[in-house]
Amino acid sequence: MLTGSDLLTKVKELGDVSKSDLVRGCGYVSTKKDGAERLNFTAFYEALLEAKGVSLGEGGGKGASKGGRKLSYVATVQGNGNLLVGKAYTAMLDLQPGDEFEIKLGRKQIRLIPAGSSEDDD
């Protein structure tokens, strides 16, 4: 399934085709239990709106998103003094168990710099 600028480019490439062919051409197709093809129009249109910069807000997008809670990008210090960074965040950064970081404290931020790299590698 295409998203972002790739989706917009493909829609322009396909030009004046039927809506079904447009959804199919962009990869928004799944297979039903009986083997029949299912076109995912809702997911296609949500991705198209997002690619164009239109946000449907917190409540929208349930069909195209993963289940579970939305990430808040806020961390809370636990009762034992630990600052926990959840698995969702480490997965976004492709971090593995054993990865080490240097902790840089700023006035309003905590930066984790991968061990062995310079701070300018952003």
Side-chain angles (χ1 to χ4, degrees):
M1 293 189 284
L2 299 175
T3 57
S5 60
D6 293 336
L7 177 61
L8 294 175
T9 302
K10 186 68 171 183
V11 168
K12 287 178 185 175
E13 277 178 21
L14 292 173
D16 193 24
V17 297
S18 71
K19 292 176 186 171
S20 296
D21 289 340
L22 188 60
V23 171
R24 188 178 292 112
C26 292
Y28 286 83
V29 181
S30 57
T31 307
K32 295 180 184 179
K33 289 181 182 176
D34 64 1
E37 178 182 77
R38 180 183 188 281
L39 298 175
N40 301 313
F41 284 95
T42 303
F44 169 76
Y45 286 122
E46 287 175 350
L48 189 60
L49 285 170
E50 189 160 327
K52 290 187 173 194
V54 177
S55 173
L56 296 177
E58 293 283 325
K62 295 236 184 248
S65 66
K66 297 178 188 173
R69 295 182 292 185
K70 302 282 183 210
L71 295 178
S72 66
Y73 296 94
V74 173
T76 304
V77 177
Q78 298 178 330
N80 61 4
N82 288 346
L83 183 63
L84 180 69
V85 177
K87 183 176 182 178
Y89 301 105
T90 59
M92 286 173 61
L93 297 170
D94 195 31
L95 300 177
Q96 304 300 319
D99 287 354
E100 292 185 356
F101 295 87
E102 181 180 341
I103 299 171
K104 294 278 188 178
L105 300 177
R107 263 186 14 167
K108 294 185 178 186
Q109 65 184 357
I110 297 173
R111 296 185 68 196
L112 299 175
I113 313 296
S117 70
S118 70
E119 198 172 331
D120 298 331
D121 286 351
D122 292 306

